């Protein structure tokens, strides 16, 4: 089994913002660190604004959108719960997306107070409510990606709703990777089958969650993997090796 062609690396800046928000002021500066990532070879920037604003805040979304517009070929990806409503200083997820018009919007079924995204959509339950959201985003010229488990039936439903891509939730893969064996092999086969099915019906495949320097290379055995979004592990590695070096190291895996 061979690796896919180059996979785009989108760096999630949430944890940079989380550190900034732990103190008054603007240190570390999210915009500056986004530019470091781009200059180090990142193909895109990802943010996941949440209503509680524990990391990325609305002003970050606007400023990063403007930053990315100065770098042709670099993509801006906003991910989050499409039904996150306006509360306090949060204008609502869809309003943020439609105002900034990112290249890609990755819709994620997390709740307002969820620690992190930990499952894909069940489109039997949420498909009807998602359909007008997907149409609205596509009418703005935004590529729509749905956060999904490696479930062939669900991916077929994603296609019917008009999604352009799926982002495979790789949390279970990352956990299973720690203990190689038959159960890991069976799980990885599910990811291979899900990705192959998506591609066969015309949906692009992204991936993200808990991917790191240890497990990313193996996951790239999935053919035609278009993009990975990595934030937490890359930020942790940046503490040890510096942000620019961390981005370059992940980028090297994505292009090997």
């Amino acid at each position: 089994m061979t690796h896919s062609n180059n996979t785009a690396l989108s760096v999630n800046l949430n944890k940079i913002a989380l550190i900034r928000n732990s103190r008054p002021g603007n240190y570390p500066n999210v915009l500056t660190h986004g530019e470091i990532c781009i200059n180090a070879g990142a193909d895109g920037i990802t943010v996941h604004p949440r209503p509680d604003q524990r990391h990325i805040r609305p002003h970050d979304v606007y400023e990063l959108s403007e930053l990315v517009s100065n770098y042709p070929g670099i993509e801006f990806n906003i991910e989050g719960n499409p039904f996150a409503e306006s509360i306090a200083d949060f204008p609502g997820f869809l309003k943020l997306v439609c105002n900034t018009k990112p290249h890609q919007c990755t819709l994620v079924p997390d709740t307002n107070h969820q620690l992190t995204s930990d499952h894909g959509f069940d489109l039997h339950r949420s498909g009807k409510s998602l359909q007008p959201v997907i149409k609205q985003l596509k009418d703005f010229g935004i590529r729509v990606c749905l956060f999904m488990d490696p479930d062939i039936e669900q991916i077929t439903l994603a296609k019917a709703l008009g999604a352009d891509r799926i982002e495979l939730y790789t949390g279970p893969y990352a956990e299973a990777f720690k203990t190689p064996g038959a159960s890991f092999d069976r799980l990885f086969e599910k990811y291979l089958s899900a990705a192959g099915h998506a591609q066969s019906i015309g949906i692009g495949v992204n991936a993200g969650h808990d991917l790191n320097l240890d497990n990313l290379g193996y996951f790239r055995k999935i053919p035609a993997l278009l993009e990975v979004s990595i934030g937490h592990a890359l930020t942790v590695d940046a503490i040890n090796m510096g942000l620019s070096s961390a981005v370059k190291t992940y980028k090297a895996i994505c292009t090997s």
Side-chain angles (χ1 to χ4, degrees):
M1 188 181 297
T2 58
H3 283 167
S4 59
N5 294 327
N6 291 354
T7 299
L9 171 64
S10 188
V11 178
N12 188 316
L13 296 176
N14 281 12
K15 292 301 165 68
I16 302 296
L18 182 70
I19 297 170
R20 176 201 61 194
N21 296 351
S22 67
R23 291 283 183 92
N26 188 31
Y27 183 72
N29 185 302
V30 172
L31 203 62
T32 299
H33 285 72
E35 196 156 25
I36 290 170
C37 292
I38 293 170
N39 289 331
D43 302 288
I45 296 296
T46 289
V47 293
H48 187 148
R50 287 183 165 92
D52 63 11
Q53 300 188 61
R54 62 181 181 265
H55 38 61
I56 289 294
R57 293 174 173 168
H59 72 85
D60 296 315
V61 179
Y62 289 104
E63 291 172 3
L64 287 166
S65 175
E66 186 174 348
L67 172 70
V68 171
S69 71
N70 294 324
Y71 290 89
I74 302 300
E75 290 204 343
F76 190 37
N77 173 48
I78 304 177
E79 62 181 28
N81 175 8
F83 307 114
E85 298 178 357
S86 175
I87 59 172
D89 296 323
F90 187 79
F93 179 78
L94 284 177
K95 184 174 181 180
L96 267 178
V97 173
C98 291
N99 282 350
T100 53
K101 298 182 179 64
H103 302 89
Q104 178 175 268
C105 179
T106 301
L107 302 178
V108 180
D110 60 354
T111 63
N112 286 355
H113 304 292
Q114 199 166 317
L115 181 63
T116 186
S117 307
D118 61 8
H119 62 280
F121 278 106
D122 177 356
L123 296 178
H124 288 298
R125 297 178 59 187
S126 57
K128 186 173 291 187
S129 55
L130 275 175
Q131 195 158 24
V133 173
I134 292 170
K135 183 181 186 304
Q136 178 184 2
L137 294 172
K138 293 184 73 166
D139 285 346
F140 273 94
I142 300 167
R143 184 171 71 234
V144 178
C145 179
L146 298 184
F147 195 67
M148 302 293 293
D149 298 313
D151 182 309
I152 286 175
E153 181 186 8
Q154 290 287 337
I155 292 168
T156 300
L157 294 174
K159 172 66 174 180
L161 290 175
D164 302 296
R165 293 189 186 183
I166 58 168
E167 178 177 329
L168 288 172
Y169 167 51
T170 50
Y173 159 82
E175 184 61 31
F177 185 85
K178 299 172 185 175
T179 54
S183 60
F184 169 76
D185 293 340
R186 285 193 296 272
L187 178 65
F188 190 65
E189 188 61 39
K190 284 185 65 176
Y191 281 93
L192 278 171
S193 297
H197 176 69
Q199 291 154 355
S200 74
I201 61 175
I203 296 183
V205 177
N206 298 345
H209 211 279
D210 293 337
L211 294 174
N212 59 35
L213 293 177
D214 294 328
N215 62 39
L216 175 59
Y218 194 91
F219 198 82
R220 285 239 311 130
K221 289 185 176 183
I222 289 181
L225 182 62
L226 297 175
E227 175 190 294
V228 290
S229 175
I230 304 178
H232 182 86
L234 192 150
T235 306
V236 173
D237 290 320
I239 295 171
N240 295 319
M241 63 177 68
L243 181 57
S244 182
S245 294
V247 171
K248 289 175 181 176
T249 303
Y250 277 89
K251 178 69 175 174
I253 297 173
C254 287
T255 56
S256 62

